[in-house]
Amino acid sequence: MTVMHRRLPGRWRFAVVPAAALFAAAAATTPAAAQDAVPVPAPSGLATTPAPSGGGDACGATAPYGYIGNTGVTFSATSNGKSTVTYTTEFLVQPGDGSAPYDYTQTGYGGGLRRLQLPAADFTDGVTYTWQVRETASDGGVSDWSAGCHFIADHTRPAVPVVKSKVFPPSDATTPAPPVRTTGAFTFKVSGPAAADAVRFEYALNGAVPSTGATSVPVGPRGTATVKLTPTQWGTNSLTVRTVDRAGNLSEDAQYTFMVSSATEQDHFGDLNGDAHPDLLAIGADGKLYVLYGKGDGTLKKAVTYADSGGAWAPGAVLRNGDSDWDGYQDLLRVSDTGYMTAYSNNGLGDFDQSSQRLGKWTRADGTSWKGATQLRHGSGDGDLLTVENGQLLRWDPGFGPNTPTVLATGLEHLTVITPGDVTGDGIVDLLFRDDVSGRITLAAGNADGTIAAPSAWKAFGKGFTAAAYPRILSAGDANGDGVADLYAADKRGTLKFFAGLKGGGFAPATGAHGALDWTTVVSAD
């Protein structure tokens, strides 16, 4: 292997070239060799990485040219030579300020991708650069120079933004802090000479701004932008904001801290966003967690998913299980298909970040998993759990040690457990049982000690809900605000119906629950 270099004014640049290529190049200097040289096609597919921001394409072939920030640059091109010939690809980078160009060569056998990487220090702020590529074959043939690609180097960081909010004053202000779930506007402003180049603000509430995929808002004509946020963390909150300019340069972070007071009371069981209406959760076969917010009249808003919830909830079962981390918000439990139980925190708006998972309070004294449970239901709302295993209804009290269940009922092989909350009005949680074959619903009143009435005391409470007609049936308690527990049931076509509870027992005829979700694709719901 022989080392060649080429000196251009003010710089030395080196390229590693095989000795065989040198001999071939020397032979090609003879008139006969030059006459016999095979025409060499020019390289194609020129691209600059990162792509110049604001330019027409990744090459920057035509004006206006794009900008590249204070970062290294990679130039790439595709050699179109024959597979049996060695080619030397020459990259020529010409600064527009008249300083010495950079000249590099790379040698390869046959065609293929060629790359040149240069550090940010090789480029001067504000200078326009043009780069071209050509090839020399081992038989002496030389291609034409490619068309020029261009970019403008921009190494100036944008100004740090100023953050203000009237609703959420700075933490050192004497103004009383608003309560959690208050929505307020935050204004970002960038000024100074670098403001003209600012294109967006990136921000994050109570966390670092991620390097990729950050939440952002465009900079307005006066260097400002306004966003509305709804903090759900009581106490000290921090909003991190940075400016991004046309070349992708980042400003230093601005930190804006403010106070938020706690909620006046804990959310009611099943209410996931604090509006006092019970909501539903569902896992789809697509692995997404769907939240269906109640409107207070028995109908549901369109099912929503959140990006940070991820898409790995299925297979498995999900259920609401009270406030397991004592922050005032209703959380959930998920039991995987392997029987492992995990708790997830609610951010107060019905958004369950899958990265927030933690081991719940649920381990079994017998050391087995939860895989054997054919039904999983939330209990009283105080954190207890109900399962159906081997035809038995078991109640598990919350605790940090291994749990031993209490048997509440037996003979549930063909019954579906429904957990509507307090039906009888005595302040104690009751249960409903659906006979899957006959469609009858019976009420099992709850006792103060957590047990339920004996089967002989169960009362008829509804009919017409066979499993064949309604494969899935569940309750969110009083969903329409009339003081009576209601039902939701999905028919075999995947349409969710709402059945308003009647005083004294029974249910009104079905009405549409909406929610815009195909329940034939739901693998678990609560």
Side-chain angles (χ1 to χ4, degrees):
M1 188 73 68
T2 303
V3 177
M4 292 185 63
H5 67 266
R6 173 178 300 186
R7 184 182 184 185
L8 294 178
R11 279 192 115 87
W12 288 91
R13 294 300 180 193
F14 296 89
V16 179
V17 183
L22 288 181
F23 295 137
T29 60
T30 65
Q35 186 176 7
D36 295 337
V38 178
V40 178
S44 61
L46 278 64
T48 311
T49 305
S53 178
D57 54 57
C59 165
T62 58
Y65 305 135
Y67 295 85
I68 292 181
N70 192 16
T71 182
V73 181
T74 299
F75 307 100
S76 61
T78 299
S79 169
N80 297 306
K82 296 181 179 180
S83 60
T84 58
V85 180
T86 299
Y87 296 89
T88 298
T89 306
E90 182 179 357
F91 289 83
L92 182 65
V93 184
Q94 175 68 59
D97 61 356
S99 60
Y102 313 155
D103 187 76
Y104 293 82
T105 57
Q106 293 183 356
T107 300
Y109 190 70
L113 189 64
R114 306 283 196 265
R115 288 191 181 95
L116 169 65
Q117 293 180 314
L118 297 180
D122 275 4
F123 306 104
T124 303
D125 186 29
V127 173
T128 299
Y129 288 84
T130 302
W131 66 279
Q132 295 172 279
V133 187
R134 71 176 178 181
E135 289 195 307
T136 300
S138 56
D139 63 3
V142 180
S143 77
D144 294 332
W145 283 104
S146 69
C149 296
H150 310 79
F151 68 92
I152 304 170
D154 183 352
H155 292 180
T156 303
R157 297 183 71 178
V160 179
V162 175
V163 184
K164 293 183 179 180
S165 176
K166 293 181 179 179
V167 177
F168 298 99
S171 54
D172 57 358
T174 58
T175 307
V180 292
R181 295 196 184 101
T182 298
T183 300
F186 293 82
T187 299
F188 312 148
K189 183 175 183 178
V190 61
S191 56
D197 297 338
V199 295
R200 69 180 183 274
F201 298 108
E202 296 181 341
Y203 61 94
L205 181 61
N206 296 321
V209 181
S211 57
T212 58
T215 303
S216 65
V217 60
V219 176
R222 297 183 180 180
T224 63
T226 299
V227 299
K228 290 186 176 181
L229 301 175
T230 307
T232 60
Q233 172 183 297
W234 63 271
T236 302
N237 285 248
S238 178
L239 180 61
T240 303
V241 188
R242 66 190 182 196
T243 311
V244 185
D245 70 10
R246 62 191 177 187
N249 295 313
L250 306 176
S251 73
E252 294 182 4
D253 289 346
Q255 297 286 344
Y256 184 82
T257 58
F258 58 96
M259 299 298 295
V260 177
S261 61
S262 61
T264 56
E265 64 178 19
Q266 181 178 344
D267 289 345
H268 297 161
F269 185 74
D271 175 17
L272 302 177
N273 62 352
D275 63 0
H277 305 318
D279 310 306
L280 297 181
L281 289 170
I283 293 179
D286 57 5
K288 295 180 180 179
L289 177 68
Y290 292 87
V291 186
L292 298 94
Y293 295 111
K295 296 181 180 180
D297 60 359
T299 62
L300 300 164
K301 297 179 182 179
K302 183 179 179 180
V304 296
T305 61
Y306 293 98
D308 57 3
S309 292
W313 295 87
V318 65
L319 62 155
R320 297 161 292 172
N321 201 244
D323 181 14
S324 61
D325 56 5
W326 306 289
D327 61 359
Y329 306 139
Q330 298 295 299
D331 303 317
L332 69 83
L333 292 178
R334 174 180 178 264
V335 179
S336 69
D337 59 329
T338 60
Y340 186 79
M341 184 174 293
T342 308
Y344 296 84
S345 294
N346 179 3
N347 74 345
L349 299 174
D351 183 359
F352 298 89
D353 184 351
Q354 202 162 24
S355 67
S356 71
Q357 60 180 297
R358 63 193 188 281
L359 182 64
K361 305 172 184 178
W362 307 101
T363 56
R364 299 168 66 114
D366 60 7
T368 61
S369 72
W370 300 94
K371 192 173 182 179
T374 56
Q375 297 182 52
L376 286 153
R377 298 289 184 269
H378 63 261
S380 65
D382 293 326
D384 58 326
L385 176 69
L386 302 177
T387 65
V388 176
E389 303 178 29
N390 300 316
Q392 294 182 318
L393 177 62
L394 307 179
R395 179 178 183 269
W396 305 80
D397 290 319
F400 291 99
N403 297 88
T404 300
T406 300
V407 178
L408 299 184
T410 59
L412 271 67
E413 286 82 359
H414 303 292
L415 299 182
T416 297
V417 181
I418 307 170
T419 51
D422 178 20
V423 175
T424 60
D426 60 0
I428 301 174
V429 171
D430 308 305
L431 296 179
L432 297 176
F433 294 98
R434 189 268 300 270
D435 187 307
D436 297 338
V437 178
S438 70
R440 293 189 302 271
I441 293 180
T442 54
L443 166 66
N447 299 320
D449 62 358
T451 61
I452 61 174
S456 59
W458 294 2
K459 299 178 180 179
F461 207 76
K463 60 182 179 179
F465 293 93
T466 64
Y470 298 102
R472 189 176 301 277
I473 187 168
L474 66 162
S475 176
D478 178 16
N480 62 1
D482 64 357
V484 182
D486 309 307
L487 289 182
Y488 290 100
D491 63 24
K492 57 187 178 181
R493 294 185 298 274
T495 303
L496 189 67
K497 304 288 188 180
F498 174 69
F499 297 85
L502 302 175
K503 295 185 183 299
F507 299 92
T511 58
H514 311 304
L517 187 64
D518 180 0
W519 283 74
T520 62
T521 66
V522 172
V523 298
S524 177
D526 189 33

